[in-house]
Structures are given as C-alpha cells and as structure tokens.
Amino acid sequence: MVTPRSQFNLERPQVHELPFEAKLKNHSQSRNVLYYQNLFAGNFTHEFRPASIGGMGTPVRNAAQFLDWLKNLKNLIVALNFTSPIETIVADGAVVIHVHSEGETPSLGKSFPNEHLFIFHISSGKITSIKEFMDSKYVAQLSEDEKAAGKV
C-alpha cells in the first residue's frame, strides 16, 4: 500500500520518521562511511538520475564506489544539509523521499540549493538500491560554471 505522508493531515503533515530518514537528515553531521556501510545490502547500487546528468561520472555505483563518492563529497559540496522531507511514500520494500538540500561549492563559493527525489529499495532491513533524482538543469548549470571558471 502506498501512503503519501501528506494524506495524514492536509494542513500540516505529521512526522512519521523512518530510521534512515533521521540518518539522511544527519548526513552533513556524520560523514563516517562506516556508519552508512552498515545500512547497505551486499548487492547495493546507487544511481544518479535522470540519466541525462551522466551518473555524475559513474552511471551505477556499488557500495564501495558510493562510499568513496561520499568520502569525496566534501570536495564538491560543503555544509550539505537536507531539509525535513516534503513528502514520503512508503510501500512494501520501497520508500520514496522528496527533499530539498542546501550546500556550497568550495570551487566556486556558490550556494548549491537542490531538490532530490530518493527511491530506496529495501530487503531484510538493508538498503539494496538508491536512485537519486536531482534538479538536472541546476546540476548542468553548475557544471558549466565550473568549466567556465577552469575548476574542472
């Protein structure tokens, strides 16, 4: 059964925080990759979507590749913070979270606001895959700005 969080109370959504939602919100406070590693199943994959953004260099990452990407995230974006979820949809074996984030690009010193839609697939209490959709127009513009500034 799919239940958008916003259906619980139309005036103000109730917060029914899932365990990894708290971990997602605390992402910027804990970049300890071992913390995340314990959340992933052995067959874990991560994909940046839509495909037009080219997977941010790698179309599909396994757990080790994704953890390496997280380690290096501070070189791309500093002070990355996610807002409370705008909407959360929970289904059997899957969770979809719509959220905004704020950060800053150290290479350009620019604000990096973004919008994400995370699709988590879960089996036996572990995350088997994450598909992360971002504001592709903004990501493309940021990439162009970095190229123009000679930062890439």
Side-chain angles (χ1 to χ4, degrees):
M1 180 175 133
V2 176
T3 308
R5 176 177 294 169
S6 57
Q7 286 183 352
F8 291 122
N9 180 335
L10 295 178
E11 290 181 28
R12 186 164 185 252
Q14 292 177 328
V15 177
H16 297 286
E17 193 169 85
L18 300 168
F20 56 85
E21 277 186 25
K23 292 171 184 174
L24 179 65
K25 283 197 291 190
N26 293 328
H27 171 73
S28 61
Q29 292 137 358
S30 173
R31 292 206 178 156
N32 180 344
V33 294
L34 294 177
Y35 175 81
Y36 296 103
Q37 185 175 346
N38 294 327
L39 299 175
F40 303 147
N43 61 343
F44 172 84
T45 59
H46 176 273
E47 299 175 57
F48 282 110
R49 295 296 187 165
S52 63
I53 64 172
M56 303 280 283
T58 305
V60 179
R61 288 173 173 82
N62 62 29
Q65 292 167 322
F66 182 63
L67 292 169
D68 282 343
W69 184 86
L70 283 177
K71 284 181 201 174
N72 294 312
L73 183 59
K74 66 182 178 291
N75 298 325
L76 302 171
I77 301 169
V78 294
L80 180 62
N81 293 298
F82 290 94
T83 63
S84 292
I86 297 162
E87 184 172 19
T88 300
I89 301 170
V90 180
D92 189 30
V95 176
V96 179
I97 300 174
H98 179 197
V99 67
H100 286 263
S101 68
E102 286 288 334
E104 183 178 310
T105 60
S107 60
L108 297 173
K110 290 178 68 171
S111 172
F112 186 74
N114 210 329
E115 184 172 2
H116 307 264
L117 187 69
F118 292 96
I119 302 171
F120 293 88
H121 288 98
I122 302 160
S123 179
S124 302
K126 298 281 188 173
I127 301 171
T128 58
S129 71
I130 301 173
K131 290 183 179 138
E132 180 177 349
F133 289 79
M134 294 187 287
D135 181 339
S136 55
K137 182 178 179 183
Y138 187 80
V139 170
Q141 182 61 54
L142 183 66
S143 178
E144 290 301 315
D145 291 349
E146 287 187 329
K147 286 178 187 172
K151 303 290 183 177
V152 178

